[in-house]
Amino acid sequence: MPLLDREGLQADPFDRADPSAEGVIVPFDGLEEALESGSNRPVGVDLPNHVHPSRLASHLDRLALVAIDFPKFSDGRGFSLARMLREQGYRGRLRATGRILPDQFAFALHSGFDEVEISDEQAARLPVGQWQLAPHQFSDNYVDTRDGRVSVFKRRRAAREAA
Amino acid sequence: MYRYDEFDERLVRERIAQFREMVRRRIDGSLTEEEFTLLRQMNGLYLQLHAYMLRVAIPYGTLSGRQMRQLALIADRYDRGYGHFTTRQNIQYNWPRLRDVPDMLELLADVEMQCIQTSGNCIRNVTADHFAGVAADEIEDPRPTAELIRQWSTLHPEFSFLPRKFKIAVTGSAVDRAAVAVHDIGLRIVADAKGRIGYRVTVGGGLGRTPMIGKPVREFLPREELLPYLEAILRVYNLEGRRDNKYKARVKILVHELGTEAFVARVEEEYARIDRGAVEVDAAEVARIAAYFAPPAFEALPARSEAFEKAARDPDFARFARTNLFPHKAPGYTALTVSLKPIGAPPGDATSDQMRVLADLAERFSADELRVTHVQNIVLPHVRLDDVPEVWAALVEAGLATANSGLVTDIISCPGMDYCKLATARSIPIAQEISRRFADPERERAIGPLGIKISGCINACGHHHVGAIGILGLDKAGVENYQITLGGEPGDLASLGERLGPGIDADEVPAAIERIVDVYLALRTDEAETFIDTVRRVGLDPFKPALQPQEPVRAAA
Amino acid sequence: MAGKRPALPLVLSASDLLDGDVVFHTGAGWDRSLSAALVATDEAGAQRLEAALAEVESGGPVAEPFLFTVTLDPSGAAVPNHYRERIRVCGPTVRHDFGPQAREELSHVSL
């Protein structure tokens, strides 16, 4: 399935089925088993959006990828989960999967996601250009973001101090 | 009043560019109608019964003459020459075309206005006391807090796709005129024993299908902790609020189902963990925002005005002065309510000509400020008593001098089925007919304060649950049917009305309301006992017979 | 289409995407006049309207399509059965100067 980050389409080194892929993504309830298997392949996990991220807390440094599902584009739990995982110190890849829209891509990046994995149907309907444009539609945010934007409140302060 | 800086301005302009692109993508098939619907709603655009409807944010109900004049221009150029002021201190246009909306948004941005988050499952326009900066009992003007929340919540990456809409209200006075108890979050500005300013926080109030009074979650939240604490509440709600049933998706249901104690525990747990630095706002920034709301330079005036007292010999002026003026903290000044409830007219509507009159009056007589109230009226907040006769004369000329603020014809009504897609019955014609029945100003005065609130469906946009008399319009087997409730109040003694009995037909409603009022007049101890006080004292039983038509039907003529 | 089909005879309505005006399916396209609407009086007609509805449900030149039941008056003109649709085809009952009632003959529809 197509994978996009802020630069555009990317090759996906992970797969849920293909054993020759560089890394594997396992279901949440298969995570313990995959981590204990002794394999050297990087392990990622599909996190349903009703699971509290604290349940990954003990595995964070062994996970190469966390994929958070957006079952409907109107279901914004994934944005909180991403930010919480980052707050808990997760440094690996963070991927949004499911029904997410280009119009939400900037929010996803701001919340700590690195990339989105979409269906072929979505990719056909929503061309790459729309995804690439999305992160640049707004110059500023009123809160600090996980992708490095400093809040308007703080930038005003900086401007005052520089003056 | 707050003024946009370069950041605020750029964001609003970029939002319009994004919206234009969104419309293009709906037309070219990139976005499905379902996707487009949610996205346009976050820009305040609904598709209603007859047309699109654009809801413009009037943050905490404050606007300038220039802004009001621009609202009039938009009404003339892109709508049908009028607008509807809402219970959430916003204005709605009922007839915009989608193809024109981006241009309407540009005209709004020219006067620092926008439609961001006036709909959708996100944090909505923050409302506040319409007498902010006026009331003598104010601890602090609530608008700097509301403005801070407005900025923080605008396009918030984490909280833009919540289970349901989310409404926050702020009051800074001892008397709550912002109905904070019936909001998802209610904030009351309070001072602790050391004189530090903070907030009393309630969560889980709301009207709609399951009306609830908000539960206190913090008795004193220090000012600097406000935004991080709001983030903790919103995060718990975003994660745990119900998404399986839209009628159970508001935070009030989560608070109710978990229990207040468990809800608070989850919020505090999240609050301990949350990255507070991401929403840190330093004291200088808070002060920068607050400075915009500094009171105008009031002249040193005597408390009494000769010109005013002379004018009060005119009984019409005297009646207006008695009902539509609110005491101002500055001697010699008053806050003047302009009623958008002329007898027999749709509540809350103003023509573009009336808007321009209001803009002129604000500029000439009220420090260039106007307020929209949740009762769907307009306030000129800083009028010298000396000027009231002249203002009144101008209002009379414009058909805006109805002397009924707070009285029985000052009816709150949602648009109902005359405009709204969700409505189950009409509201406006009911309001109009009741208003006509009580048109006699002397009778209205004798009845005293009485809030009638009408909703055309269970979603309760007309706040019927908190009406001293509430009217809810439903569809009963293909016929409009109305349930009457008594005893609701939105303010400090917030209470929800109770149903008086089975629903009645539309044409029976006005007479039933008259009979209910007659029962009150017969039962009250004296003129000082208001309708709501009588209902609280005697209960509903004495009013129940009033629901049934009596022989001969009174006042049927 | 969500839910069950309303009773015959049926009219398919929607809102024009760009203008927001109330429109009706004519069998060949969309029109602002109720009098131009295709009225389905049998199963074949209803299926035709359902097919037209399905075609525009997720996109196209109109938004929010839905079917509603009408009664044919003695002249053969369609009158919506429910008051909601009667208000919708005419315009606000509190502003007779706006909506379809202001621009065309709808005297056969009343509340």
Side-chain angles (χ1 to χ4, degrees):
Chain A
M1 299 225 282
L3 182 71
L4 288 142
D5 66 13
R6 64 170 68 235
E7 308 302 330
L9 280 171
Q10 304 297 335
D12 190 352
F14 288 81
D15 200 280
R16 291 176 178 77
D18 181 0
S20 68
E22 193 183 317
V24 63
I25 303 173
V26 300
F28 178 68
D29 55 15
L31 178 60
E32 299 270 354
E33 191 187 337
L35 288 174
E36 303 309 321
S37 71
S39 158
N40 290 330
R41 289 175 80 200
V43 172
V45 63
D46 274 317
L47 187 71
N49 75 353
H50 53 82
V51 175
H52 197 279
S54 60
R55 293 182 59 189
L56 291 180
S58 56
H59 308 305
L60 289 183
D61 44 4
R62 289 190 291 166
L63 279 169
L65 179 147
V66 177
I68 297 174
D69 186 36
F70 285 74
K72 289 192 289 191
F73 72 94
S74 57
D75 183 343
R77 278 178 279 190
F79 300 114
S80 282
L81 296 180
R83 210 173 136 210
M84 291 164 82
L85 277 172
R86 293 303 190 198
E87 283 172 6
Q88 287 175 29
Y90 176 66
R91 298 267 173 269
R93 264 185 198 237
L94 198 48
R95 174 180 297 187
T97 65
R99 304 305 307 174
I100 194 161
L101 293 172
D103 309 75
Q104 298 170 305
F105 191 34
F107 290 161
L109 296 171
H110 297 334
S111 299
F113 285 106
D114 302 299
E115 57 196 29
V116 294
E117 179 187 336
I118 57 175
S119 68
D120 294 325
E121 181 274 322
Q122 284 167 288
R125 185 159 61 82
L126 301 158
V128 175
Q130 294 188 11
W131 297 88
Q132 283 180 297
L133 178 66
H136 307 290
Q137 283 179 315
F138 292 95
S139 307
D140 309 291
N141 289 75
Y142 286 105
V143 295
D144 287 1
T145 72
R146 282 282 152 187
D147 56 344
R149 288 189 171 194
V150 175
S151 79
V152 164
F153 298 125
K154 286 175 188 157
R155 292 178 59 194
R156 285 176 183 147
R157 173 167 61 192
R160 268 196 304 275
E161 281 165 2
Chain B
M1 279 185 53
Y2 187 72
R3 298 300 309 263
Y4 284 3
D5 69 359
E6 58 183 304
F7 297 105
D8 304 311
E9 162 81 18
R10 186 160 55 217
L11 187 134
V12 169
R13 297 290 180 184
E14 288 172 343
R15 182 66 161 171
I16 300 169
Q18 185 197 38
F19 184 77
R20 268 186 209 282
E21 183 63 9
M22 228 175 248
V23 174
R24 197 191 60 70
R25 290 163 62 230
R26 165 63 177 84
I27 294 168
D28 79 9
S30 299
L31 293 172
T32 66
E33 177 60 19
E34 185 194 6
E35 291 162 351
F36 179 65
T37 298
L38 191 76
L39 297 171
R40 68 164 155 71
Q41 283 180 350
M42 293 173 73
N43 276 289
L45 189 64
Y46 285 78
L47 185 52
Q48 287 289 24
L49 201 59
H50 311 292
Y52 284 100
M53 179 271 275
L54 185 66
R55 182 181 292 151
V56 180
I58 301 175
Y60 32 88
T62 293
L63 74 170
S64 68
R66 176 167 168 260
Q67 290 174 322
M68 184 66 107
R69 201 170 279 111
Q70 191 82 337
L71 293 176
L73 175 91
I74 292 168
D76 285 338
R77 190 176 295 175
Y78 293 111
D79 210 81
R80 304 278 168 94
Y82 72 109
H84 175 73
F85 290 94
T86 77
T87 55
R88 303 212 67 254
Q89 301 180 301
N90 295 320
I91 183 172
Q92 296 179 176
Y93 294 110
N94 288 312
W95 305 94
R97 305 189 308 168
L98 176 62
R99 58 174 98 235
D100 294 332
V101 170
D103 296 336
M104 296 170 80
L105 296 175
E106 295 283 6
L107 285 178
L108 288 169
D110 289 347
V111 294
E112 303 175 27
M113 297 184 82
Q114 35 78 16
C115 300
I116 299 170
Q117 289 166 214
T118 54
S119 176
N121 295 332
C122 45
I123 301 167
R124 300 287 190 88
N125 185 32
V126 182
T127 52
D129 183 356
H130 49 264
F131 289 129
V134 169
D137 64 349
E138 192 167 79
I139 295 163
E140 181 182 278
D141 191 323
R143 292 173 301 166
T145 295
E147 174 58 27
L148 187 66
I149 295 171
R150 183 192 74 78
Q151 295 188 23
W152 157 76
S153 63
T154 297
L155 304 186
H156 195 297
E158 189 178 342
F159 305 127
S160 291
F161 296 89
L162 299 168
R164 199 78 178 84
K165 59 189 167 184
F166 202 92
K167 299 174 181 176
I168 303 175
V170 195
T171 184
S173 279
V175 174
D176 173 19
R177 284 170 293 265
V180 299
V182 289
H183 284 76
D184 294 288
I185 292 180
L187 298 173
R188 291 189 81 132
I189 297 174
V190 289
D192 73 0
K194 292 178 192 142
R196 288 185 311 163
I197 296 289
Y199 304 94
R200 180 175 188 269
V201 185
T202 54
V203 178
L207 299 174
R209 183 166 301 236
T210 318
M212 290 193 188
I213 302 292
K215 315 292 185 295
V217 298
R218 274 283 190 113
E219 287 301 326
F220 186 86
L221 179 71
R223 184 204 291 283
E224 60 277 12
E225 294 185 45
L226 177 65
L227 295 185
Y229 195 76
L230 293 183
E231 293 226 328
I233 295 171
L234 263 301
R235 181 175 283 180
V236 169
Y237 171 55
N238 192 32
L239 289 179
E240 300 196 40
R242 286 181 61 171
R243 293 175 186 265
D244 59 326
N245 180 341
K246 128 179 208 196
Y247 299 111
K248 297 191 172 178
R250 295 285 290 272
V251 71
K252 63 190 172 187
I253 303 293
L254 178 65
V255 174
H256 179 72
E257 289 183 352
L258 284 175
T260 307
E261 208 174 306
F263 177 81
V264 172
R266 278 178 167 73
V267 169
E268 294 293 340
E269 189 186 339
E270 201 50 58
Y271 186 52
R273 212 166 19 210
I274 210 159
D275 174 14
R276 297 188 196 185
V279 287
E280 193 200 338
V281 179
D282 68 325
E285 174 62 7
V286 171
R288 184 192 75 89
I289 292 174
Y292 286 107
F293 299 94
F298 297 118
E299 296 168 47
L301 296 173
R304 291 177 58 178
S305 154
E306 253 178 63
F308 180 91
E309 284 171 17
K310 198 171 147 211
R313 289 178 207 147
D314 176 335
D316 289 339
F317 178 88
R319 190 177 300 113
F320 179 86
R322 199 163 48 228
T323 52
N324 289 38
L325 301 184
F326 180 84
H328 200 288
K329 64 182 179 187
Y333 283 82
T334 186
L336 184 153
T337 298
V338 179
S339 168
L340 298 182
K341 319 289 176 63
I343 297 303
D349 282 6
T351 66
S352 54
D353 286 338
Q354 290 176 326
M355 291 182 214
R356 279 182 283 266
V357 168
L358 291 168
D360 289 344
L361 291 174
E363 285 164 352
R364 287 176 61 204
F365 299 110
S366 184
D368 196 15
E369 235 189 278
L370 295 144
R371 308 284 175 79
V372 182
T373 79
H374 76 269
V375 192
Q376 302 178 284
N377 292 321
I378 304 292
V379 167
L380 294 165
H382 307 299
V383 181
R384 298 187 331 165
L385 286 174
D386 292 342
D387 294 332
V388 173
E390 197 177 341
V391 172
W392 177 72
L395 292 173
V396 170
E397 187 82 3
L400 288 168
T402 313
N404 62 354
S405 177
L407 301 182
V408 63
T409 61
D410 188 5
I411 299 169
I412 287 185
S413 169
C414 74
M417 199 180 273
D418 283 298
Y419 293 98
C420 178
K421 192 174 63 182
L422 300 175
T424 44
R426 287 174 294 164
S427 310
I428 297 170
I430 302 290
Q432 289 174 304
E433 187 51 32
I434 293 171
S435 168
R436 287 188 199 106
R437 295 229 176 192
F438 290 100
D440 173 7
E442 276 316 304
R443 185 175 174 207
E444 234 189 317
R445 187 201 56 76
I447 295 165
L450 202 177
I452 297 181
K453 303 184 199 290
I454 310 175
S455 304
C457 82
I458 194 77
N459 292 315
C461 296
H463 298 178
H464 65 276
H465 297 297
V466 289
I469 299 176
I471 302 173
L472 167 62
L474 297 169
D475 173 352
K476 191 176 173 191
V479 178
E480 291 168 290
N481 187 270
Y482 296 83
Q483 287 182 358
I484 314 290
T485 51
L486 297 188
E489 191 185 295
D492 292 302
L493 299 165
S495 61
L496 302 169
E498 284 179 63
R499 253 177 79 179
L500 195 54
I504 57 178
D505 285 347
D507 53 5
E508 291 171 16
V509 174
I513 301 303
E514 280 198 297
R515 290 192 296 267
I516 288 167
V517 171
D518 286 344
V519 172
Y520 153 66
L521 292 174
L523 290 180
R524 69 179 177 186
T525 50
D526 55 35
E527 284 209 9
E529 189 181 61
T530 62
F531 181 89
I532 183 80
D533 291 338
T534 301
V535 173
R536 283 178 174 156
R537 177 171 58 82
V538 304
L540 258 56
D541 282 344
F543 292 93
K544 284 181 178 165
L547 216 46
Q548 302 309 322
Q550 284 148 14
E551 295 300 333
V553 178
R554 193 191 170 286
Chain C
M1 201 189 97
K4 132 174 179 282
R5 180 204 293 169
L8 292 169
L10 283 172
V11 165
L12 172 59
S13 184
S15 301
D16 182 84
L17 177 68
L18 289 177
D19 290 342
D21 288 347
V22 172
V23 292
F24 305 94
H25 193 66
T26 63
W30 299 88
D31 194 284
R32 283 167 174 71
S33 293
L34 176 61
S35 57
L38 173 72
V39 181
T41 53
D42 57 13
E43 178 61 26
Q47 286 186 11
R48 195 168 155 202
L49 290 185
E50 281 178 341
L53 186 152
E55 203 176 303
V56 291
E57 194 150 45
S58 65
V62 300
E64 302 188 1
F66 70 102
L67 295 163
F68 64 90
T69 302
V70 296
T71 300
L72 297 177
D73 76 1
S75 73
V79 180
N81 278 22
H82 195 279
Y83 61 87
R84 179 185 193 273
E85 267 51 72
R86 291 201 291 275
I87 293 172
R88 188 166 173 277
V89 304
C90 291
T93 66
V94 295
R95 289 300 298 256
H96 294 290
D97 45 343
F98 299 143
Q101 60 197 350
R103 65 164 194 264
E104 67 184 274
E105 189 52 48
L106 274 162
S107 57
H108 67 292
V109 183
S110 68
L111 288 170

